[in-house]
Amino acid sequence: MKTHKSRQAQAREFSPEAREEIWIRDKGKCIFCEMGYHKEDTDAFGRAILQIMHYIPRSHNGLGIPENGALGCQCHHEMMDNGNRGRRKEMLGLFRNYLIGHYKDWDESKLTYDKWKAFEKETQ
């Protein structure tokens, strides 16, 4: 049985098109590995598994758009999400600067789902 996702849940997921755009933009590589960020705390297996990371997490209504995502290896994704080494704030700063470097009009306030904005678009 297929379940229907809410508009909000759909908006927080990266579409196939957004995933492809992120993959191409990031050249199929982890942004943190490319920066050389604490690679000593990663391993070859984890670096080989690439995932798309949200800058603003889905749990905080972060949208699934290229301006809110980047490729990360499993090691760096877990390092950032779990904050297990106290590096989350620093990593988010690097992530933010990376996104700003790719989108001249990047605006953090436009990266979250707003049900009223979505409603306005539907009624126009």
Side-chain angles (χ1 to χ4, degrees), residues 1-6 10:
M1 183 167 109
K2 189 173 183 178
T3 59
H4 176 72
K5 289 186 178 183
S6 68
Q10 290 173 23

Side-chain angles (χ1 to χ4, degrees), residues 16-39:
E17 296 80 14
R19 290 177 177 280
E20 182 177 4
E21 184 176 330
I22 291 167
W23 189 270
I24 291 167
R25 181 198 66 206
D26 298 347
K27 299 177 175 84
K29 297 177 181 175
C30 169
I31 65 168
F32 293 111
C33 285
E34 288 299 291
M35 292 175 196
Y37 187 80
H38 288 286
K39 285 179 81 171

Side-chain angles (χ1 to χ4, degrees), residues 53-54 76-83 88 91-92 95:
M53 308 175 292
H54 281 79
H76 281 112
H77 196 175
E78 287 179 6
M79 192 183 297
M80 186 178 71
D81 281 356
N82 298 333
R88 180 168 177 74
M91 292 180 83
L92 285 173
F95 197 166

Side-chain angles (χ1 to χ4, degrees), residues 61-109:
N61 291 326
L63 293 171
I65 58 175
E67 295 86 346
N68 190 41
L71 275 179
C73 69
Q74 182 178 20
C75 295
H76 281 112
H77 196 175
E78 287 179 6
M79 192 183 297
M80 186 178 71
D81 281 356
N82 298 333
N84 58 358
R85 296 186 184 267
R87 297 178 181 152
R88 180 168 177 74
K89 186 176 180 181
E90 180 180 40
M91 292 180 83
L92 285 173
L94 293 169
F95 197 166
R96 183 179 196 278
N97 289 338
Y98 179 83
L99 293 169
I100 288 170
H102 283 84
Y103 302 98
K104 69 177 183 131
D105 296 330
W106 189 85
D107 182 349
E108 192 168 329
S109 69

